[in-house]
Amino acid sequence: MGAAMENVWLTTVELGMGIQFVSFPMEVPGQWDRIVELLAVPDELELMAVYRLGYLPESDKRPAIDWTSHERKLPSQYVFRGTCATPETRWDEPPADR
């Protein structure tokens, strides 16, 4: 799955398009099921990831990350130092210059 998505990502960028991983449905309980329903994913298939693709005006800059989202999970919930018993906490706050 990872290699296939990397190829889609690289090809999209090569074509001059924008691509964005949409993580919100996975972060909020019940939203993933809504996406599966919206896209009419049949029971024999499993939705693994959601991306947005499209052409962007050359004048547009990449938007900043919305660090204020109350739904965003902290890096320490996924990043560990040495073992899973030691969460990495130094990345849990956004940089002060943002």
Side-chain angles (χ1 to χ4, degrees):
M1 170 73 179
M5 287 314 307
E6 179 180 24
N7 287 332
V8 168
W9 194 288
L10 292 172
T11 301
T12 301
V13 172
E14 184 65 25
L15 292 171
M17 297 174 70
I19 183 169
Q20 180 183 29
F21 176 69
V22 180
S23 62
F24 181 79
M26 291 176 271
E27 296 171 359
V28 180
Q31 295 303 310
W32 192 252
D33 294 333
R34 290 182 67 196
I35 295 293
V36 168
E37 183 181 328
L38 177 70
L39 298 176
V41 178
D43 290 340
E44 64 271 11
L45 297 178
E46 181 180 357
L47 185 61
M48 303 290 288
V50 178
Y51 289 85
R52 295 193 292 188
L53 326 155
Y55 289 99
L56 302 172
E58 288 186 29
S59 60
D60 281 4
K61 293 183 178 181
R62 181 179 177 163
I65 294 173
D66 178 11
W67 292 105
T68 62
S69 171
H70 298 293
E71 303 297 339
R72 180 173 294 281
K73 293 187 180 186
L74 300 173
S76 61
Q77 292 176 274
Y78 300 101
V79 180
F80 301 92
R81 183 170 291 275
T83 70
C84 290
T86 311
E88 179 61 71
T89 58
R90 64 183 173 166
W91 295 314
D92 280 354
E93 294 296 322
D97 62 336
R98 293 196 184 183

